[in-house]
Amino acid sequence: MLHLLLLASTAPQDQARAVMESQLRSPPRTEDAAGLSAPEAEIIRQHYLDSIGQRPPQPSEQDRARR
């Protein structure tokens, strides 16, 4: 039963990954789309690609104490 549940839970992840990969392969949008120039959009896209697989920064001790 557990195997069936695990198999069923991977399909949305695979689909989401396929959508993201197709979006990343598409060329950057033009200036009209988001108010960015093509070079600015390319820089953002490259930063995003470079960040894939990295862990987000951990909150400092001071930030943790505020929670």
Side-chain angles (χ1 to χ4, degrees):
M1 185 69 164
L2 178 61
H3 292 288
L4 292 174
L5 183 60
L6 290 174
L7 287 173
S9 67
T10 59
Q13 292 173 353
D14 292 342
Q15 185 179 11
R17 182 182 184 101
V19 168
M20 287 187 64
E21 287 175 348
S22 70
Q23 289 175 341
L24 291 172
R25 281 191 299 267
S26 66
R29 294 181 179 178
T30 62
E31 243 178 272
D32 306 342
L36 298 173
S37 67
E40 290 171 323
E42 181 57 31
I43 290 169
I44 293 170
R45 177 181 175 274
Q46 192 59 51
H47 281 288
Y48 174 75
L49 289 174
D50 293 342
S51 73
I52 293 174
Q54 296 179 1
R55 293 197 176 269
Q58 298 298 314
S60 67
E61 290 295 325
Q62 185 180 12
D63 290 338
R64 284 188 215 142
R66 291 181 190 171
R67 291 183 184 179

